[in-house]
Amino acid sequence: MLDINESLTKKILVEFIRDETYKAGFKKVVLGISGGLDSSLSAHLACQALGKKNVFLYYLPYETISQSGFEHTRMVANGLGANFEIIDISEIVNAYILKESDMNKIRKGNVMARVRMTVLYDQSAKNDALVLGTSNKTELLLGYGTQFGDTACALNPLGDLYKCQVRQLASYIGIPEEIITRHPSAGLWEGQTDEGELGFSYDEADQILNFLFEEHLKRDDIVDRGFNEKVVDRIVDRVKGNEFKRKLPTVPKISKF
Amino acid sequence: MQFKVGLAQINPSLGDIQENLKIHSQYINEAKKSLVDLLIFPEMSLTGCFVGDSIPDLALRKDSSVFRYLCGLSKDLDLVISFIEEDEDNKFYIASAYLSEGEVIHIHRKIYLQNSELPNDKRYISQGHHLKVFETRFGKTAILITEDFWHYPSSYLLALDGVQYVICQSASPTSNLSCEKIGSAEILERLNETFAHLFGYFIFFANRVGFEHGINFWGGSEAIDPSGKRISKASYVDEELLLVDVDSSILRTNRIVNPLLRKENIDFVLYELNKIRERFK
């Protein structure tokens, strides 16, 4: 039900990156890579679309570097042969967060995500490139991302793929198994994992979101199919509550309509 | 009669008529080299699809220089192009023109407009209201544009009116990319086979490729003969000029073998339609 045609999907996404980049008048893209699945796949697709010399990869760590994340990042960057740079964001982030007492980890995480966005956009200006997003459909629907942070980009090739489909495509393309099976994490604090924070697995979320949005089932029908009703409700609430993140800023229409 | 059809599976440049005229010319030149007699372009081939508020700026009248230029190109082969038409009352239509030997033979105005999330058809575009089977040098021909052939009464009415060649100009987006194939392609391909077979005519289906606002168009242009057999198929997603060798003798063979059309009872259909119409008044 959620399986994709890998070769056609890859072809369309590669063509998408090429077409949209050229249409905007650019030849290059920049993107942040973490050693995680989504950014690794996005980097691979970008290199296929534009050529490795036109793709700029950035690893943007804050203080505590996840060793496995860094190793995986190196693996991806070396494997692709694209331009690669490490820019430590710790000083920039600390310049602000140390002035704010009692900042909780969510706020700190969001500051980090937005500093990464700032760095990527500046690097895009430096390299005359577009910023490539790496968010997938599951994250976007659940609102699991920082508005104008990691969700800020010019184009986002994975934005209509559920997490399980990202996994399927990554496996088809040959992304290393250890990256595919690694626990997804935004890396915003030590020990953070997406599924730990969400309270349900991506596999569960994908099935429920598919029932909601592709098959247009009602909440009760999904529960009847054996899904935990608390999880279903949590997902429905997250989707509704985070709709604002999926829209452009709302402007009141008062001129010609 | 034997003749050659070309299906121009192009990627139009959004909102740029001049660029699209270059694309049309390229395909026409290539088609001429391949001895194509009839070259068909997809829906909105001159403008691209999601042009939104630019509709009035991109609209063409029959007496425009662009039209005269395209008519000039139809001296060596017949052309079917698609554009935004502005009529004498300044109403706008998604339209297609059949051009032959320097003349406009027929213009079809899209009847069923698409429901689109993007600001496009609904605000500016008027609906067409008529179908027409018109004579060309190949035989009785009609044009349908995308949503027009999703609504099967269009195909049924054309069949009753004696059509032999139905030109389907499409801008069908990729959707439901499942593990087997493209969902939207699968449905349309089944529709094409079914209608061609049921109604006993040729279908020339020209779909576009490329992206607009993130929406991908799947291509897959094809020709189906009156027995429902797929005689030619273009690739998915890539630009291509698909060449189709047509043997019109299959029309007669199929109409002898398939009794459905000659047993149609128009009075019965009209009676039932009126009855249903009364119920909804």
Side-chain angles (χ1 to χ4, degrees):
Chain A
M1 165 177 71
L2 280 161
D3 283 350
I4 53 170
N5 179 315
E6 295 116 339
S7 79
L8 210 40
T9 303
K10 180 190 164 187
K11 189 182 169 85
I12 289 173
L13 295 184
V14 165
E15 189 51 42
F16 166 78
I17 294 171
R18 188 182 298 134
D19 192 81
E20 295 296 325
T21 303
Y22 291 171
K23 265 200 301 224
F26 292 85
K27 293 194 170 81
K28 304 174 206 167
V29 293
V30 308
L31 64 153
I33 60 168
S34 61
L37 176 59
D38 301 313
S39 58
S40 301
L41 178 59
S42 303
H44 187 103
L45 294 170
C47 288
Q48 290 268 297
L50 304 172
K52 60 187 181 186
K53 64 178 175 63
N54 292 318
V55 176
F56 295 77
L57 308 176
Y58 295 89
Y59 182 60
L60 305 167
Y62 172 78
E63 281 188 352
T64 318
I65 297 174
S66 148
Q67 194 55 38
S68 63
F70 180 62
E71 278 166 14
H72 293 153
T73 301
R74 271 269 179 229
M75 198 188 297
V76 169
N78 288 343
L80 290 173
N83 305 287
F84 175 62
E85 193 175 339
I86 301 170
I87 300 178
D88 193 319
I89 63 167
S90 307
E91 269 189 64
I92 310 170
V93 170
N94 287 339
Y96 175 70
I97 67 172
L98 291 175
K99 290 182 195 296
E100 292 278 312
S101 56
D102 300 327
M103 199 186 237
N104 65 28
K105 58 185 182 184
I106 303 275
R107 284 178 62 194
K108 284 183 191 171
N110 285 337
V111 169
M112 286 174 217
R114 291 183 178 122
V115 165
R116 288 187 175 116
M117 176 275 294
T118 301
V119 169
L120 286 175
Y121 269 89
D122 180 65
Q123 290 295 317
S124 74
K126 177 180 166 186
N127 292 294
D128 195 26
L130 291 178
V131 176
L132 192 76
T134 63
S135 300
N136 62 63
K137 187 169 183 171
T138 311
E139 287 167 343
L140 291 171
L141 283 173
L142 295 175
Y144 194 67
T146 302
Q147 193 183 24
F148 307 124
D150 47 309
T151 59
C153 59
L155 60 159
N156 187 11
L158 305 186
D160 202 21
L161 291 184
Y162 289 109
K163 189 75 177 183
C164 60
Q165 295 168 334
V166 171
R167 225 177 273 129
Q168 186 188 348
L169 188 61
S171 180
Y172 168 78
I173 277 173
I175 302 287
E177 189 65 20
E178 59 213 90
I179 293 179
I180 296 175
T181 54
R182 186 177 145 207
H183 283 299
S185 171
L188 297 178
W189 56 83
E190 196 68 46
Q192 180 200 24
T193 65
D194 295 3
E195 287 163 325
E197 231 198 312
L198 289 166
F200 44 79
S201 70
Y202 272 124
D203 282 343
E204 234 179 333
D206 286 347
Q207 288 178 78
I208 292 168
L209 290 168
N210 179 63
F211 282 137
L212 283 169
F213 295 106
E214 318 310 326
E215 304 203 15
H216 304 286
L217 292 188
K218 294 186 182 158
R219 176 253 187 215
D220 290 349
D221 294 329
I222 300 172
V223 172
D224 285 346
R225 288 189 183 208
F227 289 90
N228 182 301
E229 62 179 322
K230 286 201 172 97
V231 170
V232 175
D233 288 341
R234 205 176 305 148
I235 286 175
V236 168
D237 288 344
R238 274 203 77 112
V239 171
K240 279 190 198 161
N242 285 289
E243 193 184 331
F244 72 96
K245 288 189 186 178
R246 292 189 290 274
K247 298 196 306 195
L248 289 170
T250 312
V251 171
K253 267 277 188 211
I254 55 173
S255 63
K256 189 170 62 169
F257 181 67
Chain B
M1 177 197 278
Q2 312 240 348
F3 59 98
K4 190 167 278 194
V5 170
L7 301 177
Q9 186 162 285
I10 66 170
N11 177 10
S13 183
L14 185 61
D16 190 343
I17 292 183
Q18 292 307 314
E19 182 59 32
N20 290 325
L21 281 174
K22 283 188 206 156
I23 295 173
H24 281 61
S25 297
Q26 271 170 263
Y27 273 74
I28 288 166
N29 287 336
E30 207 186 315
K32 282 204 278 199
K33 284 184 207 157
S34 300
L35 306 176
V36 164
D37 300 295
L38 166 63
L39 181 61
I40 300 166
F41 287 87
E43 178 182 4
M44 297 183 88
S45 59
L46 279 181
T47 58
C49 296
F50 299 115
V51 290
D53 291 329
S54 299
I55 284 174
D57 302 321
L58 295 169
L60 298 173
R61 300 177 77 118
K62 271 196 302 189
D63 56 1
S64 68
S65 57
V66 168
F67 237 83
R68 283 201 298 277
Y69 170 72
L70 285 164
C71 282
L73 294 178
S74 74
K75 292 211 168 108
D76 298 318
L77 73 174
D78 290 8
L79 296 174
V80 188
I81 55 104
S82 182
F83 62 109
I84 300 166
E85 184 198 4
E86 180 175 354
D87 73 4
E88 311 76 34
D89 298 321
N90 310 117
K91 293 210 288 283
F92 305 104
Y93 303 90
I94 294 172
S96 291
Y98 190 108
L99 311 175
S100 178
E101 294 176 332
E103 301 290 330
V104 180
I105 304 299
H106 175 64
I107 290 181
H108 170 72
R109 292 169 176 171
K110 188 173 179 182
I111 300 166
Y112 291 98
L113 300 181
Q114 261 138 305
N115 290 315
S116 172
E117 285 172 4
L118 295 169
N120 187 20
D121 304 13
K122 297 291 185 218
R123 179 153 160 65
Y124 292 101
I125 298 288
S126 299
Q127 263 180 293
H129 292 285
H130 304 291
L131 292 171
K132 187 172 178 185
V133 176
F134 54 95
E135 287 286 350
T136 68
R137 55 194 174 99
F138 311 109
K140 296 179 182 169
T141 307
I143 300 172
L144 297 173
I145 303 174
T146 308
E147 209 82 345
D148 290 344
F149 52 85
W150 280 92
H151 292 261
Y152 58 84
S154 309
S155 303
Y156 173 70
L157 292 167
L158 289 174
L160 289 180
D161 208 7
V163 79
Q164 295 167 315
Y165 309 102
V166 175
I167 293 167
C168 298
Q169 289 179 294
S170 175
S172 179
T174 300
S175 69
N176 291 332
L177 195 54
S178 71
C179 58
E180 293 303 318
K181 56 195 312 185
I182 302 169
S184 39
E186 205 173 7
I187 299 172
L188 260 172
E189 285 162 358
R190 254 189 269 152
L191 275 180
N192 285 343
E193 284 166 356
T194 305
F195 287 164
H197 191 191
L198 262 186
F199 300 129
Y201 52 58
F202 281 92
I203 289 182
F204 304 128
F205 172 78
N207 193 22
R208 59 160 293 181
V209 293
F211 287 88
E212 284 180 20
H213 299 293
I215 293 171
N216 174 253
F217 300 92
W218 52 274
S221 302
E222 61 181 14
I224 317 283
D225 78 13
S227 71
K229 183 178 149 205
R230 182 163 283 106
I231 48 178
S232 207
K233 179 75 180 172
S235 59
Y236 293 121
V237 175
D238 292 325
E239 293 176 66
E240 186 177 332
L241 173 62
L242 180 71
L243 301 176
V244 185
D245 289 310
V246 181
D247 179 355
S248 65
S249 65
I250 304 170
L251 282 161
R252 183 170 184 272
T253 308
N254 179 265
R255 284 175 191 192
I256 294 169
V257 164
N258 180 353
L260 293 176
L261 258 189
R262 60 176 173 267
K263 288 186 182 299
E264 263 311 303
N265 184 338
I266 298 178
D267 291 327
F268 154 74
V269 173
L270 279 171
Y271 174 83
E272 292 296 328
L273 277 173
N274 279 323
K275 194 175 80 182
I276 295 165
R277 195 161 173 240
E278 288 303 310
R279 193 151 58 87
F280 286 108
K281 266 194 185 158

